[in-house]
Amino acid sequence: MDAQSRGRAEEIDPADQWVLNPRTGHYELQLNDSAARERPKVAAPRRSSSAPAAPTAPSPGVPGQRRGDAPPGGRRGGGRSRKGGGGGGRRKKALLITSGTLALLLVGGAAAAYLYYDHLNGNLSVTDIAGAGTGGFKKDQAINILVIGTDKRSGAGNEGYGDKDSVGHADTTILFHIAKDRSNATALSIPRDLITTIPDCPTKQPDGTTKTVRGAKGVRFNTSLGQEGRDAGCTMRTVKELTGIEVDNFMMVDFNAVKTLSTAVGGVPVCLEKAVDDEDSKLKLPQGEHRLEGEQALAFVRTRHAFGNESDLDRIKTQQQFLGSMMREMKSKETLTSPKKFFSLAEAATKSLTVDQGLGSIDKLTDLAGELKDIDLKNITFTTLPVLDNPAEKVKATVVVDQRLADPLLQMIRGDVSLTEVEKKEQAAKEAADADAKAKQDALLQGNRAPAGDVRVAVYNGGGPKGAASTTLGWLQNSKGMSKASNQGNAPSKVDATQLEYAPNQADQARALADALGLPATALKMGTTDAAAKTPMKLTLGPDFQKPGTPLAPPVPQELPKDVQQAQADKAVCAK
């Protein structure tokens, strides 16, 4: 409250006055006795019926708000004039967003609700990534978000870390895959010292033009950002080149993010199996449990010489443990029932965040939140792309992909297979449904085959190799006698796997085409109504398609090799 305009000696912080009423489950504004005598009791703003239950903040129009203590971005004095006119303040729009999204901004998802004000849009930094990625996540598909932690030294609070003039690298990179059914998520860490190929990267310039930064082979992954003018779009393109997974959106943070978020949440619990005294990171802690925030939290996630064999791979494990603990803390009762922490977390997250245009507003982040709110922490898995020491080096400084372990891991992520054990009842129901669906699908291949010359099919490329539709057309016409096939170029949208769509009265043609291409029963998608005469079937080639005459990629593994590192977000692990 503005003491000058209200004539009150005692000041009240509105965030402290909103408390949970256990009888109603709602937040209510509760004042001290003197304030209550001066002001009528005000009910908390009603929450959206479509959003999960969440603490709500006082409206900036509520009387009695002191100057300088407005919620982040709100007008001082509750938006009222010194003359005390009622209702003159502009009402702020309150947006409910899950803690899963707030966590995902930096680390991963959980389920709870956070409140954002419209002004937080102004905190976000937005980068035009010149067409990198899919153009944005979609509600009915799996989601892939690239979270990048840069070691850029510029910016307030970052001056004291190493080379202050460094433009930064992709120091910490995590690819978050959120399942299509939103039941689970996988957080794949990519080692910064991995030797890989960086493709050519179109990058937007300050004057609005686009410049293509030439790619490079046999270089460290972390040079995909910052170096030679590369932006986050280059890192997205590099991840696709490396994993075969196209990224939907990116989120990028710097050193400040760890400091401000860990402080806003009231500290992040960590456990040490041994005492730590690292001169480089300045981390000095005794053995046991600690609650870290600010500079100390940053030192914990930056240290490379305190744990394991002092490699970047062990630092990744430490970071995963820290991020899992931060998510558990964000979901804790102490955080969820504290309006003050909500405000602090909202400010810390958005001020630290750079995103692409597809996530460049609180509204868009709220949409993403709706997709993540039901994921349980036990179904979020941290893992690391399997690597080996670079055999070309005598002094081991870099790593290369361990294809034996990486291939099944990446196949599972691309195939949207969970790395965690989902609820047993749900899993049993899913297995029963899958078995029933498989029996029905296999039946589609039983029956007559049409002559090759009668097969009409339009071929689309929906994620297969470049030129796959043209190559397949020539092969069908010249090698299989299917002269009525046609090439339709790129499909309107990409598919997860190759599929053949046809009408019931085209079933004999579908079986003939499936025989020719070696399509499994799962690739056949029969409609419900017959097609008109001379209507072609629709064949869409997916990422599992290699070339005509070659079987599709093998079935996706359902379990990881035992040697692949993984950890669940709901489990606390001591650093060692």
Side-chain angles (χ1 to χ4, degrees):
M1 178 177 177
D2 185 337
Q4 282 186 322
S5 61
R6 301 293 179 190
R8 293 179 54 194
E10 183 179 4
E11 294 183 341
I12 298 171
D13 186 338
D16 287 333
Q17 305 304 309
W18 287 85
V19 297
L20 181 67
N21 185 333
R23 293 174 300 176
T24 65
H26 296 166
Y27 274 73
E28 297 175 356
L29 183 64
Q30 295 185 4
L31 306 176
N32 60 26
D33 291 341
S34 62
R37 285 193 297 270
E38 293 185 30
R39 293 167 48 190
K41 186 174 181 180
V42 182
R46 299 172 65 183
R47 66 175 182 265
S48 167
S49 60
S50 62
T56 52
S59 164
V62 172
Q65 194 169 337
R66 66 183 171 91
R67 185 174 300 278
D69 269 350
R75 295 180 179 179
R76 296 182 175 181
R80 289 173 175 255
S81 70
R82 288 178 177 262
K83 294 181 180 180
R90 184 176 69 89
R91 188 175 185 84
K92 299 289 186 180
K93 176 184 176 185
L95 297 175
L96 291 174
I97 209 165
T98 68
S99 68
T101 296
L102 185 55
L104 183 63
L105 302 184
L106 302 174
V107 296
Y114 281 95
L115 184 149
Y116 279 78
Y117 278 98
D118 283 339
H119 105 104
L120 294 180
N121 281 313
N123 286 348
L124 295 170
S125 296
V126 182
T127 296
D128 186 335
I129 52 176
T134 64
F137 75 90
K138 296 177 178 59
K139 292 181 178 293
D140 58 346
Q141 296 182 15
I143 300 173
N144 294 300
I145 306 288
L146 192 66
V147 180
I148 307 169
T150 175
D151 59 357
K152 186 176 181 180
R153 266 65 172 179
S154 63
N158 294 328
E159 304 89 345
Y161 307 109
D163 180 7
K164 66 179 181 179
D165 298 320
S166 171
V167 294
H169 304 75
D171 190 57
T172 299
T173 305
I174 301 176
L175 177 63
F176 269 90
H177 173 83
I178 298 95
K180 182 177 181 179
D181 65 3
R182 308 301 187 250
S183 66
N184 64 88
T186 299
L188 176 70
S189 293
I190 301 176
R192 70 176 198 173
D193 295 325
L194 174 68
I195 296 300
T196 190
T197 296
I198 299 175
D200 292 346
C201 299
T203 58
K204 284 288 186 178
Q205 304 302 301
D207 62 1
T209 61
T210 299
K211 173 185 176 182
T212 297
V213 181
R214 295 189 63 180
K217 294 183 178 180
V219 295
R220 278 180 166 89
F221 174 84
N222 68 347
T223 60
S224 64
L225 176 71
Q227 310 306 300
E228 300 183 30
R230 297 187 180 104
D231 62 10
C234 295
T235 308
M236 293 171 69
R237 290 181 169 93
T238 303
V239 168
K240 181 183 178 182
E241 184 90 6
L242 176 65
T243 66
I245 300 169
E246 190 163 29
V247 181
D248 296 305
N249 303 96
F250 87 88
M251 298 175 174
M252 184 167 63
V253 296
D254 60 15
F255 289 148
N256 281 326
V258 176
K259 293 188 291 184
T260 56
L261 268 183
S262 61
T263 300
V265 80
V268 176
V270 301
C271 173
L272 304 179
E273 287 196 359
K274 62 180 181 179
V276 172
D277 189 356
D278 184 358
E279 293 183 2
D280 290 338
S281 68
K282 312 302 180 186
L283 181 66
K284 187 173 183 178
L285 293 170
Q287 177 187 9
E289 297 181 357
H290 305 275
R291 182 172 285 270
L292 307 183
E293 61 181 74
E295 293 287 351
Q296 205 172 35
L298 178 60
F300 182 83
V301 299
R302 290 187 66 221
T303 184
R304 292 188 62 173
H305 305 295
F307 307 113
N309 61 6
E310 303 186 9
S311 70
D312 185 55
L313 297 179
D314 284 293
R315 185 177 71 157
I316 287 174
K317 293 179 183 178
T318 302
Q319 290 171 345
Q320 292 175 349
Q321 293 162 11
F322 181 87
L323 300 180
S325 182
M326 180 180 283
M327 285 190 284
R328 293 192 296 274
E329 196 66 19
M330 286 179 171
K331 193 182 177 184
S332 70
K333 180 179 179 181
E334 289 75 15
T335 299
L336 297 180
T337 57
S338 171
K340 217 168 192 180
K341 285 188 178 181
F342 283 128
F343 287 124
S344 297
L345 284 167
E347 285 291 303
T350 53
K351 284 183 177 178
S352 302
L353 194 63
T354 299
V355 296
D356 61 274
Q357 292 172 311
L359 289 178
S361 71
I362 299 302
D363 283 337
K364 292 176 181 177
L365 290 173
T366 304
D367 289 341
L368 180 59
E371 301 301 306
L372 306 176
K373 62 184 176 64
D374 294 327
I375 301 179
D376 195 300
L377 287 177
K378 68 183 179 182
N379 289 328
I380 299 174
T381 302
F382 287 104
T383 188
T384 304
L385 185 68
V387 293
L388 299 167
D389 286 336
N390 189 346
E393 296 175 336
K394 291 184 178 180
V395 178
K396 304 304 181 184
T398 62
V399 293
V400 296
V401 175
D402 182 350
Q403 297 294 347
R404 179 181 68 86
L405 299 179
D407 285 350
L409 171 60
L410 294 176
Q411 286 176 32
M412 290 181 72
I413 296 175
R414 289 193 296 262
D416 201 27
V417 176
S418 175
L419 303 190
T420 60
E421 182 179 354
V422 296
E423 293 290 343
K424 293 187 180 299
K425 290 182 179 180
E426 295 179 4
Q427 183 68 14
K430 183 177 183 300
E431 289 176 356
D434 288 347
D436 184 55
K438 184 178 185 303
K440 292 179 179 178
Q441 202 71 30
D442 290 342
L444 296 177
L445 290 175
Q446 307 301 316
N448 297 328
R449 269 67 174 165
D454 292 343
V455 174
R456 296 179 182 271
V457 60
V459 183
Y460 295 82
N461 190 345
K466 187 176 181 180
S470 176
T471 302
T472 300
L473 173 67
W475 184 82
L476 289 174
Q477 291 180 337
N478 300 324
S479 299
K480 295 298 178 179
M482 297 182 177
S483 58
K484 295 177 182 177
S486 63
N487 174 16
Q488 300 299 316
N490 291 330
S493 59
K494 295 186 177 181
V495 294
D496 295 330
T498 298
Q499 61 183 31
L500 174 61
E501 299 171 82
Y502 62 97
N505 61 338
Q506 296 172 323
D508 56 345
Q509 297 182 50
R511 297 184 193 107
L513 185 61
D515 289 347
L517 288 171
L519 299 180
T522 53
L524 274 58
K525 312 293 180 185
M526 186 173 69
T528 57
T529 58
D530 286 347
K534 298 185 179 181
T535 299
M537 300 180 293
K538 181 180 179 181
L539 173 66
T540 306
L541 307 176
D544 57 345
F545 184 84
Q546 301 174 53
K547 61 181 181 179
T550 300
L552 299 181
V556 175
Q558 298 301 303
E559 293 185 2
L560 278 179
K562 294 182 179 180
D563 294 338
V564 175
Q565 174 264 334
Q566 58 178 309
Q568 274 63 56
D570 66 323
K571 294 181 174 62
V573 180
C574 289
K576 56 184 178 179

